[in-house]
Amino acid sequence: MRIFSGIQPTGRKHLGNYIGAIRQYVAGQDRGEAIYCIVDLHAITVAYEPAALRRSVYDTAAILLAAGLDPSRCIFFRQGDLTEHPELCWLLSSVTAYGELTRMTQFKEKSGQQRELVSAGLFFYPVLQVADVLAYRATEVPVGEDQRQHVELMRDVAERFNARFGDVLVAPEVRTPAVGARIMDLQFPDRKMSTTGGSPQGTVHVLDEPEVVIKKFRSAVTDSGSDVRRGPDKPGISNLIEILAAVREISPEEVEREFDGSGYGAFKQAVGDAVVDCLAPVRERYDPIRADERTIEGTLVEGAEKARAIASPTLAEVREAMGVGPVRPGG
Ligand code: AMP
Ligand code: TRP
């Protein structure tokens, strides 16, 4: 099995990223050949500052390393170090349906948030994401629920390519966590927790101080009533139940049973405490890792070499199958 996922270097990583994606990346190292990439080429599709982008790449790399990515057990690199990703993006654009891109919900959301420019890059973003994964012929893509549509696009593009040009690419499967694939904002539980669209009090960051985390959970919006159980009329409590189940790695039913009759105050405190315990090791390891930029840079550059060794032969085969570029000897 080959696992591939990418994560944006923008903003501070939050509990949704941690539960939905980062924890799965760490576990993936024991389940197969794992490849993870920080997608700086995706980050430039919205307004950004070049110097801040470089810092954000290191921030994100340090969080992932602190969370347990081990460069000796996975390939960990920066997307922009390779030319293969944008090259494959272009080649695959010829088997990507324009109509499919117009239906991408992340594009609709993000284009609505832009103040100055909706870039063509933002529209093309899903094709680059398709290329990220198909370049490695990965079989599995661990992500949160919001990325499911992009992984479906990968499958469509791989299948269309293979039908048109021969069996070169692999259609990957999506892998979302059973619990916690869509963590909601603590203040607005009808919206997902997010870096760009969320509320400051409702977004728990991986690096938040313990007191800050506890405060955010104490002030989490609950619903009328006092039962700790899930339901469509109880989005706030349902979200907190999911969070506790995810961080403790138990089922939501077990959480409901444990907190039956205990009231919202005690429950919110328990969720806050559990999240603090879950994030503490990452926060403690982060500072020394982040302080050593040269080591981070070296790790990413080494990772890029390993990544290129896999992606480059795929590109050669794709070019050959499509009949573009120089003729390969024996091709
Ligand atoms: P991003 O920071 O947008 O690159 O997202 C990184 C990963 O976190 C992706 O796999 C997302 O699907 C996942 N993710 C983002 N927000 C949430 C959320 N609220 N709940 C669960 N997973 C999320
Ligand atoms: N678009 C993804 C997100 O917003 C990040 C991403 C880029 C990605 N390339 C990828 C995820 C490849 C999985 C596989 O979270």
Side-chain angles (χ1 to χ4, degrees):
M1 173 175 16
R2 186 177 277 165
I3 299 165
F4 185 101
S5 197
I7 187 162
Q8 300 220 51
T10 44
R12 290 182 290 166
K13 294 296 142 190
H14 54 71
L15 185 63
N17 299 136
Y18 187 72
I19 293 173
I22 298 172
R23 246 186 8 177
Q24 296 201 86
Y25 301 173
V26 176
Q29 299 177 118
D30 299 320
R31 297 182 42 252
E33 186 183 3
I35 310 175
Y36 302 117
C37 130
I38 301 183
V39 295
D40 53 348
L41 297 175
H42 278 111
I44 63 172
T45 59
V46 295
Y48 80 102
E49 285 303 325
L53 175 59
R54 291 223 185 271
R55 284 196 298 274
S56 299
V57 168
Y58 291 149
D59 293 346
T60 303
I63 287 194
L64 292 175
L65 293 167
L69 284 202
D70 172 359
S72 69
R73 290 193 299 142
C74 70
I75 298 178
F76 179 41
F77 71 108
R78 172 174 47 207
Q79 185 190 36
D81 288 25
L82 273 71
T83 55
E84 282 79 359
H85 294 225
E87 183 184 350
L88 186 59
C89 171
W90 180 253
L91 295 169
L92 295 179
S93 70
S94 65
V95 282
T96 305
Y98 169 80
E100 247 175 329
L101 294 184
T102 64
R103 287 191 289 276
M104 292 292 136
T105 49
Q106 187 168 307
F107 171 72
K108 289 184 203 167
E109 269 170 31
K110 283 199 182 178
S111 57
Q113 289 164 5
Q114 302 313 305
R115 299 238 169 81
E116 288 183 0
L117 173 77
V118 177
S119 70
L122 191 59
F123 183 69
F124 238 61
Y125 178 118
V127 193
L128 180 59
Q129 186 169 347
V130 168
D132 290 342
V133 175
L134 299 194
Y136 299 89
R137 296 166 160 126
T139 51
E140 194 180 286
V141 185
V143 282
E145 188 58 41
D146 62 344
Q147 295 300 313
R148 182 179 291 277
Q149 194 185 26
H150 287 160
V151 180
E152 277 161 17
L153 181 70
M154 292 166 197
R155 299 183 56 81
D156 290 349
V157 170
E159 282 160 13
R160 198 174 296 120
F161 183 96
N162 288 350
R164 170 79 178 82
F165 298 112
D167 230 353
V168 176
L169 299 175
V170 173
E173 306 279 345
V174 69
R175 185 182 171 99
T176 54
V179 181
R182 192 175 167 83
I183 300 294
M184 309 307 274
D185 189 288
L186 302 186
Q187 291 295 319
F188 299 93
D190 54 335
R191 293 190 216 154
K192 69 174 181 188
M193 191 174 284
S194 103
T195 318
T196 45
S199 69
Q201 269 305 308
T203 309
V204 176
H205 294 106
V206 174
L207 301 177
D208 276 347
E209 301 281 332
E211 309 80 65
V212 174
V213 174
I214 297 288
K215 205 167 156 215
K216 287 177 179 173
F217 278 99
R218 266 206 215 119
S219 59
V221 164
T222 46
D223 323 279
S224 56
S226 59
D227 292 348
V228 178
R229 61 168 174 78
R230 287 162 301 160
D233 54 329
K234 297 166 82 76
I237 285 296
S238 301
N239 186 40
L240 295 175
I241 291 172
E242 278 257 322
I243 292 174
L244 186 55
V247 298
R248 283 218 202 140
E249 298 182 75
I250 56 176
S251 72
E253 289 78 13
E254 281 173 84
V255 173
E256 287 169 336
R257 256 187 307 232
E258 184 179 333
F259 289 90
D260 185 25
S262 77
Y264 287 168
F267 176 58
K268 290 203 278 187
Q269 181 70 41
V271 184
D273 289 343
V275 169
V276 166
D277 288 348
C278 168
L279 297 179
V282 185
R283 207 173 60 90
E284 281 157 21
R285 285 192 288 255
Y286 177 82
D287 282 337
I289 295 174
R290 177 63 183 87
D292 188 356
E293 289 191 355
R294 277 184 51 191
T295 300
I296 300 176
E297 182 63 27
T299 300
L300 295 175
V301 168
E302 262 178 52
E305 273 168 42
K306 295 184 198 157
R308 199 174 293 115
I310 303 175
S312 171
T314 311
L315 260 293
E317 274 188 57
V318 166
R319 284 164 152 271
E320 184 63 25
M322 293 181 80
V324 300
V327 177
R328 276 206 297 174

